[in-house]
Amino acid sequence: MDANAVTQAIRDGKSIAGQDLSGLNLDNIDFSGTDLTGCNFNKTSLKNANLSKTKLINCDLRLADLSRANLFHADLTGSKLRRANLTGSIRIGCTVKRSALKGAYIAGEVAYIED
């Protein structure tokens, strides 16, 4: 799946849960309210993406660039966020239960949270 196909699927209301979206440039895409459970976002650019109220459960977000992304009330339960860039992102009400955050960049700091 490429960035255009992702955008079209969201517009058409189709599920993209479980898709391999690794390495794509998905900057500025509005995913709000979308079920992205099980997606692979490894090394994906999601700068300025709207991920508010999304289900990012059990996703691979290792090395993803989520800088300035809107994660307002996003559910990241069980997701891998190692070495992800969360600088400047909105994380109010964001759920990160059982998520691997070790080495994630959060507001200019590196998180060393044991998982």
Side-chain angles (χ1 to χ4, degrees), residues 51-54 70-75 90-95:
L51 296 159
S52 65
K53 299 180 182 176
T54 58
N70 181 354
L71 292 162
F72 179 79
H73 287 281
D75 188 351
I90 299 169
R91 299 177 302 277
I92 298 168
C94 186
T95 303

Side-chain angles (χ1 to χ4, degrees), residues 83-105:
R83 297 180 58 202
N85 183 358
L86 293 157
T87 304
S89 61
I90 299 169
R91 299 177 302 277
I92 298 168
C94 186
T95 303
V96 291
K97 290 184 250 175
R98 299 183 319 276
S99 295
L101 290 162
K102 189 173 185 177
Y105 295 94

Side-chain angles (χ1 to χ4, degrees), residues 49-64:
N50 185 357
L51 296 159
S52 65
K53 299 180 182 176
T54 58
K55 289 184 181 177
L56 290 157
I57 299 166
N58 298 321
C59 289
D60 184 350
L61 290 150
R62 292 174 294 158
L63 297 168

Side-chain angles (χ1 to χ4, degrees), residues 8-76:
Q8 192 60 50
I10 292 167
R11 284 187 191 139
D12 295 343
K14 294 180 181 175
S15 174
I16 57 173
Q19 294 293 314
D20 182 1
L21 306 174
S22 59
L24 295 180
N25 181 334
L26 301 175
D27 296 346
N28 303 304
I29 292 182
D30 185 359
F31 288 102
S32 59
T34 304
D35 184 357
L36 301 170
T37 299
C39 283
N40 181 359
F41 291 103
N42 187 294
K43 298 181 183 176
T44 298
S45 183
L46 292 155
K47 294 177 190 172
N48 297 306
N50 185 357
L51 296 159
S52 65
K53 299 180 182 176
T54 58
K55 289 184 181 177
L56 290 157
I57 299 166
N58 298 321
C59 289
D60 184 350
L61 290 150
R62 292 174 294 158
L63 297 168
D65 189 349
L66 293 151
S67 56
R68 297 178 307 282
N70 181 354
L71 292 162
F72 179 79
H73 287 281
D75 188 351
L76 292 151

